[in-house]
């Protein structure tokens, strides 16, 4: 399965894990995963541990998420491969997301 989500036991954090390529093919599923929590006061973690590539559509999906959730909601991108981290840094995603 290319996308899974896990809600923390205390319902304060949603972790979305991406497997394989993060791009256009995951747009609808990714949005549906977090959209039901759009008005909740919670944090989001996007886990790229098993993500092999990200393309321009994947970057756009992340920016759309940020725009819909607003700047006050904490979104972390974790476990990035060095090449993905470089892409995120190049496009200055570290200004909108906590990237580790």
């Amino acid at each position: 399965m290319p996308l899974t989500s896990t809600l923390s036991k205390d319902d304060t954090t949603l972790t979305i894990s991406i497997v394989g390529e993060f791009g256009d093919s995951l747009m609808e599923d990714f949005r549906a995963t977090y959209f039901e929590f759009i008005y909740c006061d919670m944090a989001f973690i996007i886990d790229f541990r098993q993500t092999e590539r990200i393309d321009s559509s994947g970057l756009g999906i992340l920016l759309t998420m940020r725009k819909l959730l607003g700047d006050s909601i904490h979104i972390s991108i974790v476990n990035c491969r060095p090449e993905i981290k470089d892409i995120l840094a190049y496009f200055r995603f570290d200004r909108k997301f906590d990237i580790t």
Side-chain angles (χ1 to χ4, degrees), residues 46 48 62 75-80 88 93 97-100:
I46 303 164
F48 278 3
L62 292 173
I75 303 173
S76 297
I77 300 173
V78 300
N79 301 315
C80 295
L88 296 173
F93 274 57
F97 303 90
D98 181 24
I99 301 173
T100 58

Side-chain angles (χ1 to χ4, degrees), residues 46-60:
I46 303 164
D47 189 348
F48 278 3
R49 179 182 320 273
Q50 296 179 9
T51 307
E52 297 169 7
R53 294 184 40 199
I54 186 169
D55 63 17
S56 60
S57 295
L59 297 175

Side-chain angles (χ1 to χ4, degrees), residues 1-88:
M1 178 167 248
L3 185 144
T4 59
S5 63
T6 308
L7 190 58
S8 64
K9 291 180 182 179
D10 61 0
D11 294 337
T12 61
T13 305
L14 179 69
T15 300
I16 304 170
S17 300
I18 309 295
V19 177
E21 184 173 332
F22 186 43
D24 190 46
S25 64
L26 293 181
M27 185 181 328
E28 293 300 321
D29 290 339
F30 186 83
R31 186 172 188 256
T33 300
Y34 72 84
F35 196 74
E36 67 181 279
F37 302 102
I38 196 167
Y39 297 110
C40 299
D41 185 25
M42 63 187 325
F44 295 85
I45 298 172
I46 303 164
D47 189 348
F48 278 3
R49 179 182 320 273
Q50 296 179 9
T51 307
E52 297 169 7
R53 294 184 40 199
I54 186 169
D55 63 17
S56 60
S57 295
L59 297 175
I61 292 167
L62 292 173
L63 290 176
T64 299
M65 179 187 196
R66 169 49 71 204
K67 184 177 179 182
L68 286 172
L69 293 175
D71 291 332
S72 63
I73 299 297
H74 188 260
I75 303 173
S76 297
I77 300 173
V78 300
N79 301 315
C80 295
R81 293 174 186 239
E83 56 272 19
I84 292 176
K85 202 171 202 177
D86 289 345
I87 291 168
L88 296 173

